Amino acid sequence: MNKKSCLNCGHSISGEFCAHCGQKGDTARITLHSLIKNDILGSIWHVETKFFNTLKDVIFRPGKTAMDYISGKRVRYNNFISLLLILFGFNVLSYHYYEKFSPSEVLTDNTLYIKDFFSKYSKIILFVIIPILGMNAFFLFKKVKLNIAEHFIIGTVSLLGILILALLSDIVSLIGLWQPVSKIFNIFDKIIFDLSILFPAVTYWNAFKNSYSKTGLLWRVLILYVLMGLESLIIIVLI
């Protein structure tokens, strides 16, 4: 029996992938059929499936997703930092269209002030929330023995969930500009906003529910929110 060699590096292959360079062992000459099936449709399906699986897991089991990623189960997920930047871009774009199509009476002075504030300091807000969450959680949840970088991952997942909900809120707000459905979509918008506020609590509860009693976890999450509120206030005053 002839040994199969990797067409990329020449090493012998005993499985589906080359153990030396990682290339698939069934690499063959490119045909029109293989180009459409594997390179075009296969790549699109792989990227979309991974992207939406990551979004779904972040929303419905954020803490478990973060802990799985930390423990090494990463092939299922998109890179969290890359996804964070993509979602942030989508949020900026969706709010731009909301502002563009909103009647002037909808855009109150307070709304415009908040929008200008977040536009001006968006990068600071985006990259300060994660370290703050991570450092606070590092001291509050010492029992789980995660390092600071691993706590940053949990903070990143928490912020991802907030950005997903914020994007959904912008979409709901855009639909709500249509008068016949404005009342019910305004209610949906308020519910989504409340969920975004609670999302960090859901994330940490989901991540550490097996490591602490309900009482122990509750007071830690409450202190986390108090610290976040105070630190956010200090940052807002400084900038």
Side-chain angles (χ1 to χ4, degrees):
M1 182 177 176
N2 293 328
K3 283 189 176 181
K4 190 175 181 180
S5 297
C6 175
L7 297 179
N8 181 57
C9 66
H11 280 70
S12 296
I13 300 175
S14 58
E16 186 179 354
F17 296 91
C18 173
H20 184 259
C21 70
Q23 178 166 286
K24 290 189 72 173
D26 62 352
T27 304
R29 187 173 183 180
I30 297 171
T31 63
L32 184 60
H33 178 265
S34 69
L35 179 67
I36 295 172
K37 181 183 176 182
N38 300 325
D39 293 79
I40 299 176
L41 296 179
S43 296
I44 292 172
W45 173 253
H46 176 72
V47 170
E48 286 188 348
T49 301
K50 201 169 185 179
F51 179 79
F52 288 112
N53 277 338
T54 305
L55 295 186
K56 182 192 71 175
D57 285 352
V58 165
I59 284 294
F60 291 107
R61 49 172 212 153
K64 181 70 165 54
T65 297
M67 295 302 285
D68 281 351
Y69 192 88
I70 289 167
S71 68
K73 300 175 183 178
R74 297 169 192 171
V75 71
R76 174 183 174 85
Y77 304 115
N78 278 108
N79 180 277
F80 291 151
I81 301 299
S82 298
L83 191 58
L84 196 70
L85 296 174
I86 291 169
L87 286 173
F88 185 72
F90 281 152
N91 271 277
V92 171
L93 187 63
S94 62
Y95 194 92
H96 166 74
Y97 281 106
Y98 174 71
E99 184 184 39
K100 181 178 179 180
F101 293 114
S102 295
S104 57
E105 61 269 19
V106 173
L107 295 172
T108 62
D109 291 341
N110 286 337
T111 304
L112 289 174
Y113 173 78
I114 292 170
K115 190 264 181 185
D116 290 340
F117 179 85
F118 279 96
S119 295
K120 187 176 181 180
Y121 301 109
S122 58
K123 291 181 180 178
I124 296 175
I125 293 166
L126 184 64
F127 291 106
V128 163
I129 288 177
I130 295 171
I132 287 178
L133 269 173
M135 287 186 287
N136 289 338
F138 177 75
F139 292 106
L140 286 170
F141 300 101
K142 280 193 171 183
K143 182 180 177 181
V144 293
K145 296 181 180 179
L146 298 178
N147 62 41
I148 192 70
E150 291 167 334
H151 276 289
F152 283 0
I153 292 295
I154 301 175
T156 301
V157 171
S158 185
L159 183 54
L160 275 173
I162 293 171
L163 287 177
I164 294 169
L165 291 171
L167 181 59
L168 182 59
S169 174
D170 288 341
I171 294 170
V172 167
S173 296
L174 271 169
I175 299 172
L177 293 175
W178 187 39
Q179 282 301 120
V181 297
S182 61
K183 288 185 179 179
I184 188 167
F185 274 86
N186 284 338
I187 294 171
F188 286 154
D189 199 16
K190 289 177 182 176
I191 292 172
I192 294 168
F193 176 78
D194 291 341
L195 288 174
S196 67
I197 297 297
L198 291 172
F199 198 82
V202 173
T203 302
Y204 285 97
W205 192 280
N206 186 232
F208 301 137
K209 62 183 178 181
N210 295 324
S211 301
Y212 294 91
S213 66
K214 290 182 179 178
T215 304
L217 193 52
L218 181 62
W219 73 256
R220 284 174 172 83
V221 169
L222 289 174
I223 291 178
L224 181 69
Y225 269 71
V226 171
L227 291 173
M228 282 292 295
L230 292 173
E231 290 157 349
S232 297
L233 184 61
I234 292 170
I235 291 169
I236 290 171
V237 170
L238 290 176
I239 61 178

